[in-house]
Amino acid sequence: MVGAQALQRIARRLKEALPFGSKLYSAGNDEFIVLINNITEYIDVQVISDKLLSVFEQKLVINQDAQFHLTCSAGASIYPLDGYDSEQLVTQSRAAMLAARHGHASNAVIFQQDVEQPSHTQLQLAEDIQSALQKQQLEMFYQPILDDQRRVVAAEALLRWHHPEFGLLSAGEFLRHAEHGNALTEIGFWVLSSVCNQLAQWQDDNSPIKRVSINLSTSQLSSQLSSEFARQLADNPELKGGLAIEVSEGALNEADEAINGTIQQLSQLGIAVIIDDFGTGFSSLNYLADYPIDTVKIDRSLVRSLTDNERTQRIVAAMIKIAKEAGVEVIAEGIENERQLELILQLGCQKWQGHLIHPAKPVGELINLD
């Protein structure tokens, strides 16, 4: 109710700020489209946009208990400079608006000429991901991790989106579109809750899966997330020792003091820290010394070249030896055939995952867990 009243109040303010003859349309949710005539220069749009954005500097007072400020991101396109039909112009202005959000510029307008044009699919995903949780379109898949006797010992949790138009999408195909607003944080909390519930169920069923790992991006590594991990463990103390986070080696290159602190906090909570894609960067060995690493995953690109490259075999053997001497567990990922498995076991890696035995599947489709 308050939200609807706020949008109505904003719409009235926007109408008052528009030049005579302009049109204001609702585009659904919290978006508006403004159509302004007799514009020939980008500077004209800038002047009008600044006036529209100034509307959001004023506090909204709905009632005594609902008083707040709103922010706005805006994008613009001009006919015929940026397109010749309404669909193209709206698409380009929306792309500019998303670029403004991405740059965290709530009081700036980004014009289409300054933006790399996203595809229709990218725009659709960026819009749809905001409501994917509410529409119950997300699901957790799991890929078992096995030992040298092919016994299941752990699992990696992998997020999937059942998109109504584009089908089943992996996290890499859509999570970057969730970085605007609170969607990424909300999705991260949902993933953690789902994994905790599933791990608790596996524990009750005496499943061989003793640990489940969750993939995290650097933008998800925050004190807010570590607090949520702490809350989950406080509510479910039996899960301690059964949760792990996976952070890519490339992500650690971007780590700042806050991210480093979050990793330390999670480790202190008893959350195992796994480096994914290990061996693909220049600082692989430094990470073993600088972070509380429990496990490294040998990147699938190295595993793929094991069978026809003796130099890769020597490199992987050295990586495994160094990791073990540092007290760090090693898992090989991307095992797709028997020869790769044979070689990785010979090189001293006792744990692995891959399509040879089991791709990522929903819980109900997992096999060989006994």
Side-chain angles (χ1 to χ4, degrees):
M1 185 67 177
V2 171
Q5 290 179 313
L7 288 175
Q8 291 170 4
R9 193 76 56 82
I10 287 294
R12 286 198 296 269
R13 290 184 181 181
L14 289 173
K15 285 182 180 179
E16 293 172 359
L18 285 171
F20 179 77
S22 301
K23 302 292 184 180
L24 178 70
Y25 302 94
S26 172
N29 296 324
D30 58 352
E31 292 185 6
F32 294 95
I33 294 176
V34 176
L35 180 61
I36 305 171
N37 294 319
N38 303 317
I39 293 293
T40 57
E41 299 288 342
Y42 287 115
I43 187 62
D44 297 330
V45 179
Q46 183 70 66
V47 171
I48 296 172
S49 297
D50 287 344
K51 187 175 182 180
L52 292 176
L53 290 171
S54 68
V55 163
F56 295 87
E57 297 174 1
Q58 308 167 39
K59 179 189 288 187
L60 275 174
V61 180
I62 305 301
N63 54 50
Q64 185 175 358
D65 299 320
Q67 302 181 28
F68 46 84
H69 284 88
L70 296 177
T71 59
C72 176
S73 298
S77 59
I78 297 178
Y79 170 89
L81 299 177
D82 298 322
Y84 291 93
D85 59 62
S86 59
E87 182 178 357
Q88 184 179 17
L89 291 168
V90 169
T91 297
Q92 291 184 338
S93 60
R94 179 165 287 157
M97 178 190 68
L98 292 174
R101 285 184 189 170
H102 183 70
H104 308 290
S106 60
N107 59 349
V109 176
I110 309 296
F111 297 117
Q112 186 60 33
Q113 277 72 9
D114 301 326
V115 183
E116 180 182 353
Q117 295 185 25
S119 66
H120 164 74
T121 300
Q122 291 172 321
L123 290 171
Q124 192 69 49
L125 290 177
E127 182 172 338
D128 293 347
I129 191 61
Q130 306 301 321
S131 60
L133 266 179
Q134 287 72 24
K135 294 180 179 179
Q136 299 182 336
Q137 296 171 345
L138 301 182
E139 183 180 7
M140 296 309 302
F141 280 34
Y142 295 88
Q143 183 172 44
I145 296 170
L146 301 94
D147 65 11
D148 55 350
Q149 301 299 312
R150 303 194 182 206
R151 295 173 300 204
V152 174
V153 294
E156 178 182 357
L158 296 160
L159 181 62
R160 297 292 184 263
W161 182 10
H162 295 279
H163 192 281
E165 181 178 349
F166 305 118
L168 186 65
L169 302 176
S170 66
E173 294 176 283
F174 66 83
L175 268 191
R176 65 184 181 277
H177 300 297
E179 293 182 353
H180 313 302
N182 296 321
L184 190 61
T185 299
E186 293 176 0
I187 289 172
F189 284 8
W190 179 86
V191 167
L192 176 57
S193 177
S194 299
V195 168
C196 287
N197 290 337
Q198 184 57 57
L199 181 57
Q201 184 62 57
W202 278 330
Q203 289 179 343
D204 290 343
D205 296 339
N206 198 28
S207 166
I209 295 180
K210 306 302 181 185
R211 186 178 78 180
V212 180
S213 59
I214 301 171
N215 289 275
L216 296 175
S217 65
T218 51
S219 54
Q220 291 175 299
L221 288 169
S222 65
S223 58
Q224 193 176 8
L225 180 74
S226 63
S227 296
E228 183 64 15
F229 266 96
R231 189 188 69 80
Q232 287 285 348
L233 291 175
D235 293 342
N236 306 280
E238 70 279 1
L239 299 183
K240 190 168 185 178
L243 293 172
I245 62 166
E246 293 195 25
V247 183
S248 71
E249 183 175 321
L252 292 180
N253 287 328
E254 307 169 9
D256 56 20
E257 186 174 340
I259 291 172
N260 295 343
T262 299
I263 293 175
Q264 296 288 343
Q265 290 170 5
L266 292 172
S267 178
Q268 290 167 8
L269 287 172
I271 309 299
V273 179
I274 300 173
I275 296 184
D276 199 11
D277 307 327
F278 189 70
T280 58
F282 296 104
S283 303
S284 300
L285 300 182
N286 290 343
Y287 298 140
L288 299 182
D290 296 340
Y291 292 92
I293 304 302
D294 299 278
T295 304
V296 296
K297 281 190 171 182
I298 298 174
D299 185 66
R300 64 184 66 248
S301 64
L302 292 172
V303 171
R304 191 179 302 117
S305 64
L306 277 177
T307 56
D308 54 11
N309 192 321
E310 291 186 7
R311 178 173 292 182
T312 300
Q313 293 178 23
R314 292 193 292 271
I315 292 172
V316 171
M319 289 167 52
I320 294 171
K321 181 179 179 181
I322 292 172
K324 286 186 173 182
E325 289 181 352
V328 174
E329 178 186 59
V330 182
I331 299 174
E333 57 182 350
I335 300 293
E336 298 181 354
N337 58 60
E338 292 288 349
R339 181 54 179 160
Q340 290 174 347
L341 177 58
E342 178 185 359
L343 284 171
I344 206 70
L345 294 178
Q346 288 177 359
L347 296 175
C349 178
Q350 276 81 46
K351 293 185 179 179
W352 57 281
Q353 65 187 100
H355 288 195
L356 172 62
I357 295 295
H358 209 312
K361 292 282 187 181
V363 173
E365 298 179 26
L366 294 176
I367 59 175
N368 300 327
L369 298 187
D370 298 323

